[in-house]
Amino acid sequence: CLTVLPLFLLTLSGWISGILFVSVAISLWYLYADYKMPSLFSSEQSIWLRRFFIVLALPVFAIFMAQLLRHHFAWRDYDSPARFLLTIPILLTLTKSRIDPLKTLSYSIPCAIFITFIAVTLNINAWWDKGRISTYFVDPLTFGSLNMTLGLLSLLSIDLFERDVWLVRVYKALGFVLAIYLSVLSGSRTGWLALPIVLFLWLNYKSTGYRYLPITIMLLLPIAGYYSSETLQLRLNAAIQDLIAYNWNAENPQTSIGDRISFLRIALFLFAQHPLEGFGDQGFAAYINHPELNRFAIQGTQEFALHAGFHNEIATNMIRSGIWGLVSSSMLFLMPAIFFIKQLRSSCLQTQKIALLAIAYLLSTFISGMTTEVFNLKFTASFHALMLTCFISALLQQLPFAEESTKHESP
């Protein structure tokens, strides 16, 4: 199931949710059938497992605490957060059975990009609007950011477990190129900043002894990309103009970058009003046209935040569930980041390569999450919950090997 999870991510509605539910059922069956067998986890594995069980349960806990304090319960609010809770038995099963899905995901991720490219090229379940492209159930922001994420994973999976033959290298590299192309076609700048940052980390890791190479490529790549794509020029120029024109002490017209800055300012003001219980999805309607908000945001900007969210994963959940949402969203990024970085410093080369891939995924998701919600939709929550689980379990399985290699190092 986890092997095929990315294949129809952006082309078939309900695909990822189906993969999640089937995987949960299989993992529960496995844990029940194997419950008498001892769990041979190292002490470090057990500690990290408990930490991640808590982190994966936090989104549901945050919703519950906020609703309890507001004395208002709505089951639909648990739909997306519950996707993370459901992956707990999957994480336990993968770690206990020593199944590493990354060994096959490194081949299916480029295939998913090819499938999306073919669907868009042949106009199968695709739609175009004012030069922006997506598929029938995915908005352009999500379409662009997920393609960017898959593309970076495709590139960094080259030689992940063993030296790939040249044909596989071409296959993965072409997946990266097509993913960037699809992200640019979406017209969405969401996640674009992840590209130079992740490439720099990857090149810096690959070019040990040639420190000037990643810096040189980092300088040349954005320049080449900018002048080779009219879409990139238009979108980046518009972003710079919006940023320069933003007025911190007067009302601002609705622009892409300007609205996002105003959304964050609105979120900080609203959080100060109800820091514990939050507002739910649309509970702050009474604050529309509040004098403090009218200082910098027109009514249209305020209403957009009310009906469409704050275009920021952490801010949206902070307003929805107060301090509980803030902690929950932050920990979904922070705890995996601490774990992945720790494993990147391992003495085991295989652990380092997996950790670098995991960091690339997390960085891409986090950067995308600063300009749009990445865990808010059911299918994106399912995808990210499963991907996090795959990376965490793969690195947890490496821990005993990493410890063993350290023991056998010469003094």
Side-chain angles (χ1 to χ4, degrees), residues 329-342:
S329 294
S330 300
M331 290 305 293
L332 280 174
F333 292 114
L334 184 59
M335 186 61 72
I338 293 172
F339 180 58
F340 297 160
I341 292 171
K342 186 176 187 296

Side-chain angles (χ1 to χ4, degrees), residues 26-41 92-93 95-98:
I26 293 173
S27 62
L28 289 174
W29 173 83
Y30 171 83
L31 293 172
Y32 173 76
D34 203 46
Y35 78 97
K36 291 184 179 180
M37 297 295 293
S39 298
L40 301 177
F41 297 132
L92 186 58
T93 297
T95 308
K96 187 176 181 179
S97 62
R98 304 200 66 82

Side-chain angles (χ1 to χ4, degrees), residues 77-98:
D77 294 347
Y78 291 91
D79 206 349
S80 293
R83 309 300 169 113
F84 291 92
L85 184 66
L86 287 173
T87 58
I88 289 178
I90 300 175
L91 175 59
L92 186 58
T93 297
L94 290 174
T95 308
K96 187 176 181 179
S97 62
R98 304 200 66 82

Side-chain angles (χ1 to χ4, degrees), residues 154-410:
S154 181
L155 179 67
L156 269 64
S157 69
I158 295 176
D159 299 335
L160 182 60
F161 290 97
E162 58 187 6
R163 186 174 180 82
D164 292 329
V165 299
W166 71 269
L167 192 60
V168 174
R169 288 185 168 195
V170 171
Y171 165 69
K172 292 180 178 180
L174 186 57
F176 165 72
V177 173
L178 291 179
I180 301 305
Y181 173 72
L182 290 170
S183 183
V184 172
L185 277 185
S186 74
S188 166
R189 293 165 297 214
T190 302
W192 284 3
L193 183 59
L195 179 61
I197 295 176
V198 170
L199 286 181
F200 176 78
L201 292 175
W202 181 61
L203 290 169
N204 191 59
Y205 176 81
K206 286 283 189 180
S207 58
T208 304
Y210 302 92
R211 294 301 182 188
Y212 291 108
L213 178 62
I215 297 175
T216 303
I217 294 177
M218 277 287 296
L219 293 174
L220 294 178
L221 186 64
I223 296 174
Y226 179 82
Y227 285 105
S228 63
S229 171
E230 185 178 350
T231 301
L232 277 176
Q233 293 179 32
L234 291 174
R235 298 299 288 165
L236 292 177
N237 288 345
I240 294 171
Q241 291 171 6
D242 290 351
L243 187 60
I244 293 174
Y246 189 82
N247 195 323
W248 293 89
N249 298 307
E251 281 190 346
N252 291 277
Q254 287 188 277
T255 62
S256 180
I257 300 299
D259 275 357
R260 281 169 170 79
I261 297 174
S262 294
F263 291 159
L264 288 176
R265 298 176 69 182
I266 294 171
L268 290 173
F269 169 77
L270 293 173
F271 178 72
Q273 311 311 307
H274 294 289
L276 291 179
E277 66 272 29
F279 290 91
D281 279 331
Q282 297 184 350
F284 63 90
Y287 285 89
I288 297 296
N289 279 329
H290 189 282
E292 179 62 24
L293 302 183
N294 289 338
R295 287 194 312 106
F296 58 87
I298 63 174
Q299 184 175 341
T301 299
Q302 298 176 44
E303 291 181 346
F304 190 94
L306 175 66
H307 298 292
F310 292 83
H311 278 34
N312 181 292
E313 180 64 33
I314 295 177
T316 295
N317 285 287
M318 179 176 74
I319 299 308
R320 178 182 292 140
S321 303
I323 188 67
W324 318 102
L326 174 61
V327 171
S328 170
S329 294
S330 300
M331 290 305 293
L332 280 174
F333 292 114
L334 184 59
M335 186 61 72
I338 293 172
F339 180 58
F340 297 160
I341 292 171
K342 186 176 187 296
Q343 302 315 308
L344 186 62
R345 300 168 63 184
S346 168
S347 59
C348 175
L349 180 61
Q350 185 60 65
T351 302
Q352 292 176 16
K353 289 160 69 173
I354 296 174
L356 183 64
L357 186 67
I359 290 170
Y361 160 77
L362 194 66
L363 264 175
S364 184
T365 304
F366 175 75
I367 291 172
S368 296
M370 293 303 97
T371 52
T372 191
E373 290 81 7
V374 291
F375 302 147
N376 207 34
L377 301 173
K378 289 183 289 187
F379 93 96
T380 55
S382 298
F383 171 72
H384 288 299
L386 286 170
M387 288 301 294
L388 272 175
T389 299
C390 290
F391 284 119
I392 293 167
S393 67
L395 286 169
L396 282 173
Q397 292 171 48
Q398 291 292 320
L399 284 179
F401 296 105
E403 292 171 357
E404 185 178 347
S405 67
T406 302
K407 290 178 183 178
H408 288 84
E409 282 184 346
S410 56

